[in-house]
Amino acid sequence: QVQLVESGGGLVQAGVSLRLSCAASGRTFSIVKMGWFRQAPGKEREFVGAVNWSSGNTYYTDSAKGRFTISRDNAKNTVYLQMNSLKPDDTAVYYCAVGVRRWDPLSVSWGYDHWGQGTQVTVSS
């Protein structure tokens, strides 16, 4: 099992930056990928981006490219989601998740095996 703890959410104004963290523990050697998803009120959970646990290669959805950056600290088993120029539309609960079986599929919830509890990000206009 892999346990995930997210942190860093909060209430911010539009235009500022925020960094979310996701710390993994347990069987971290089994992790293949870590992804970030978000779910806004009344909407389905959507993929934001992901990182290959071993290589560090990242992949982003089109809406995240240019504003969001995923990075990884191997020593801490922690992945970060740096979010810049935040907009009210970015308001959502943000979740990190890990997959322990394979890289694909990358952008769907069922492609991941373990989930964090979520952290709320609220962007005011």
Side-chain angles (χ1 to χ4, degrees):
Q1 284 276 47
V2 177
Q3 295 79 41
L4 302 173
V5 177
E6 297 141 346
S7 59
L11 171 62
V12 297
Q13 290 189 328
V16 304
S17 299
L18 199 62
R19 190 179 77 162
L20 306 182
S21 301
C22 179
S25 61
R27 297 172 62 90
T28 57
F29 61 86
S30 66
I31 297 174
V32 173
K33 62 189 178 189
M34 180 178 285
W36 285 96
F37 289 76
R38 67 184 184 183
Q39 187 165 18
K43 295 187 177 181
E44 293 187 355
R45 189 169 298 187
E46 66 172 352
F47 175 72
V48 175
V51 59
N52 184 297
W53 194 252
S54 59
S55 71
N57 291 337
T58 53
Y59 177 84
Y60 302 93
T61 191
D62 286 344
S63 62
K65 287 179 182 177
R67 290 196 303 127
F68 293 3
T69 302
I70 295 173
S71 61
R72 181 187 54 154
D73 185 331
N74 286 350
K76 296 181 179 180
N77 286 324
T78 299
V79 171
Y80 304 97
L81 178 64
Q82 177 70 41
M83 303 184 293
N84 299 328
S85 302
L86 282 164
K87 307 173 183 179
D89 284 348
D90 294 319
T91 294
V93 177
Y94 283 73
Y95 298 90
C96 65
V98 296
V100 299
R101 292 169 290 173
R102 53 185 296 177
W103 177 244
D104 289 327
L106 189 63
S107 60
V108 293
S109 299
W110 55 265
Y112 294 79
D113 304 288
H114 306 286
W115 291 79
Q117 80 284 359
T119 185
Q120 176 70 47
V121 173
T122 303
V123 184
S124 63
S125 57

